[in-house]
Amino acid sequence: MTSHTFHLVSLGCAKNTVDSESIGQILTVNGYTHTLDPQQAGVLIVNTCGFIGPAKEESYQALADLAETKLDGQLLIAAGCLTQRYGQQVLERVPGIDGLLGTRRWMDILTLIEKLRGRQHPQPLYHLPSDAHTVGTDEGEILRASIEGPSAYIKISDGCRRPCAFCAIPLIKGTLVSRPIESVLRDAVRLQQRGVREVILIAQDTTDFGNDLGLKNGLAHLLNELAAAAPAIDWIRVMYAYPGYVTDELIETMAGLPQVLPYLDIPLQHGHPQTLRRMRRPANIDWVHHTIGKMRQTIPNLAIRTTFIVGYPGETEEEFQTLLDFAAEMRFDRVGAFTFSFEPGTTSEPFGDPVPKEVKLERLDRLMTQQQHISLAANQALIDQTLDVLIEAYGESEVGQPPLAVGRSYRDAPEIDGLVFVEQHPRLASLPAIGEIVPVKINGALTYDLTGVHASGV
Ligand code: SF4
């Protein structure tokens, strides 16, 4: 174990992964090395998630595991959303933590380590100032992105100013703070130089980008700037759009820029206006029909991903049936669905959690079973078509079967959507390389995934 080694556990969403990457970069450029073996590390860091119950428990367990085997002289730091929201509880539940680093203070990791090494007494040190004054300023050499093979997530803002009743993120992250456009563009240029083919724009709400910088249609503006600054980035993917803020200008910008994928992730959360009102979410279903209709007209082959919550307090069978009918009618390409998770401190707290667990699970099952049919039908409609696929790995193929590559098409965001299994072209000596974007002739459809043959023009 040496003092200038660190072991970092990153939990939660892609936005947290970007913060973990930034913490790692700061330590590395200051002479630290990362180790996968916690016993070899002078500094142990867990970047926690505090979003919903199961995620919190996973964070507590990761901290407890490291605290249990902690050696003399090692520092254990709890960072991220759970720490920001429940600092005191975290210390009470996991004795042995030396320091707490707030979710917006990732850039202060070195300061905290120096303070901990210099302290006179064993008391844990808090470093939780939630003031956002530094977030949004230029992060200098630190790449606010996380690279996953040929793809990278770029975090364009932090925090959120929306009033969603079930959501704890504004309690943890505070209000919206957009990054300066120049620093986002600089990240894209650096990723382009590293050969990244796809950038995925993430935030709590990408459609609100630049609002705090006085920008109207900030996301559309950013997409235009990104396409100009990083022309060699093949794919730009937009996640986490907020209903009501997908403007005509954004739709036209997405349609007009070939690098911007015809793909949008827009969590709608429900389909019944009453439920949406109780959720304090945009409840104008006509707007959803109109805007999704307009997007599908304007952006050819558009793939739409959405997210729904079932079992929200007060959700009746009639309200749920309306959601089911809405999802059947809209035929979204990709749907993620969750059961309502009670979160103390949110504006939905007074409603409690009245919908029984078995009812929530039964509704989740009905919704996802319906979606499986919709997804399979959408995939079957792609048979005999040719899609560009970003190759990310090689897969196992059965004995006597051609070797397989695995990738994603424009319809697939990493980790949450489908995959494309690519057979070797019969007249080519090998599979396409990882990181290549190649044409694939689709010859099979599964519920979420596709199969096909590499179709490069030989
Ligand atoms: S927009 Fe998303 S992050 Fe913001 S409050 Fe609503 S659910 Fe939470």
Side-chain angles (χ1 to χ4, degrees):
M1 190 262 289
T2 60
S3 66
H4 274 54
T5 52
F6 69 99
H7 173 76
L8 198 161
V9 177
S10 183
L11 302 171
C13 65
K15 286 153 271 188
N16 227 28
T17 311
V18 171
D19 290 351
S20 299
E21 296 268 340
S22 302
I23 289 172
Q25 283 174 60
I26 291 171
L27 292 174
T28 308
V29 292
N30 287 281
Y32 282 73
T33 49
H34 183 256
T35 173
L36 293 173
D37 177 359
Q39 296 294 288
Q40 296 306 314
V43 182
L44 304 164
I45 306 164
V46 179
N47 194 14
T48 64
C49 175
F51 187 39
I52 53 174
K56 290 182 226 171
E57 286 314 311
E58 184 193 14
S59 296
Y60 277 119
Q61 192 54 55
L63 286 163
D65 293 346
L66 290 175
E68 204 181 313
T69 57
K70 200 176 102 179
L71 305 169
D72 286 351
Q74 282 188 314
L75 294 176
L76 176 57
I77 294 172
C81 296
L82 183 77
T83 305
Q84 184 71 47
R85 193 167 172 210
Y86 301 107
Q88 187 55 40
Q89 287 104 311
V90 171
L91 290 179
E92 283 156 16
R93 266 190 67 171
V94 187
I97 291 174
D98 299 288
L100 300 176
L101 185 66
T103 184
R104 289 199 158 177
R105 308 307 305 190
W106 51 269
M107 69 291 290
D108 295 347
I109 183 67
L110 266 183
T111 315
L112 179 58
I113 291 172
E114 278 144 24
K115 275 188 190 167
L116 287 169
R117 292 211 163 122
R119 68 192 160 160
Q120 304 312 313
H121 52 75
Q123 286 308 319
L125 284 183
Y126 288 64
H127 198 83
L128 297 177
S130 59
D131 54 10
H133 74 281
T134 54
V135 175
T137 56
D138 193 342
E139 298 95 5
E141 287 313 303
I142 301 300
L143 192 62
R144 295 292 283 138
S146 74
I147 302 178
E148 322 273 338
S151 298
Y153 293 101
I154 298 184
K155 191 173 182 174
I156 63 174
S157 68
D158 213 348
C160 186
R161 61 189 181 101
R162 308 296 181 198
C164 311
F166 51 80
C167 183
I169 291 175
L171 300 173
I172 299 170
K173 297 263 183 183
T175 191
L176 169 77
V177 177
S178 303
R179 294 179 56 199
I181 286 199
E182 318 65 64
S183 79
V184 178
L185 298 181
R186 194 181 45 243
D187 280 356
V189 171
R190 274 190 273 182
L191 292 168
Q192 173 181 264
Q193 287 157 354
R194 294 189 190 191
V196 164
R197 308 299 299 267
E198 173 190 31
V199 295
I200 304 150
L201 304 185
I202 57 172
Q204 271 75 36
D205 172 2
T206 52
T207 40
D208 207 23
F209 176 78
N211 180 279
D212 55 323
L213 305 173
L215 284 177
K216 193 164 175 302
N217 274 305
L219 180 57
H221 177 65
L222 176 64
L223 289 172
N224 279 310
E225 295 282 320
L226 270 174
I233 296 270
D234 305 80
W235 289 358
I236 300 172
R237 188 183 299 273
V238 177
M239 308 295 289
Y240 306 105
Y242 186 80
Y245 285 75
V246 177
T247 60
D248 291 353
E249 184 170 340
L250 178 60
I251 295 171
E252 271 124 37
T253 300
M254 289 182 70
L257 293 171
Q259 287 163 277
V260 178
L261 291 172
Y263 174 101
L264 186 69
D265 166 47
I266 177 169
L268 293 167
Q269 308 301 5
H270 211 279
H272 193 294
Q274 292 304 329
T275 322
L276 287 164
R277 280 194 202 95
R278 288 197 307 279
M279 287 178 167
R280 296 196 180 186
R281 292 279 299 183
N284 181 344
I285 296 294
D286 295 342
W287 177 92
V288 176
H289 283 283
H290 169 73
T291 303
I292 302 264
K294 178 163 183 147
M295 288 183 76
R296 284 175 166 160
Q297 257 167 21
T298 315
I299 307 172
N301 306 317
L302 175 70
I304 299 178
R305 174 185 180 84
T306 194
T307 306
F308 293 123
I309 294 175
V310 300
Y312 188 74
E315 185 188 61
T316 60
E317 176 52 31
E318 183 267 333
E319 288 181 6
F320 175 71
Q321 189 57 50
T322 301
L323 167 60
L324 216 48
D325 299 344
F326 171 70
E329 184 193 348
M330 298 303 287
R331 301 191 72 76
F332 296 104
D333 301 83
R334 308 293 187 192
V335 167
F338 306 89
T339 57
F340 169 70
S341 173
F342 174 78
E343 282 306 314
T346 58
T347 41
S348 72
E349 181 174 6
F351 299 146
D353 191 3
V355 179
K357 188 168 182 204
E358 56 283 1
V359 173
K360 288 182 189 174
L361 293 173
E362 183 259 348
R363 288 176 182 171
L364 182 66
D365 182 54
R366 284 160 64 193
L367 178 61
M368 291 317 287
T369 303
Q370 173 181 278
Q371 182 58 28
Q372 283 165 6
H373 296 295
I374 293 169
S375 178
L376 178 59
N379 279 354
Q380 284 166 337
L382 293 167
I383 291 177
D384 292 333
Q385 293 196 28
T386 297
L387 293 179
D388 282 345
V389 172
L390 172 58
I391 303 297
E392 295 184 301
Y394 296 121
E396 298 293 314
S397 55
E398 272 132 46
V399 178
Q401 294 304 308
L404 274 182
V406 183
R408 289 177 292 110
S409 76
Y410 78 87
R411 304 173 72 254
D412 309 308
E415 299 162 78
I416 52 176
D417 292 333
L419 295 169
V420 185
F421 298 97
V422 182
E423 283 170 29
Q424 181 171 327
H425 187 286
R427 288 207 301 280
L428 289 177
S430 64
L431 284 164
I434 289 178
E436 271 197 83
I437 296 178
V438 296
V440 172
K441 180 89 182 281
I442 304 302
N443 60 15
L446 306 163
T447 305
Y448 299 119
D449 305 324
L450 294 166
T451 65
V453 181
H454 178 196
S456 283
V458 286

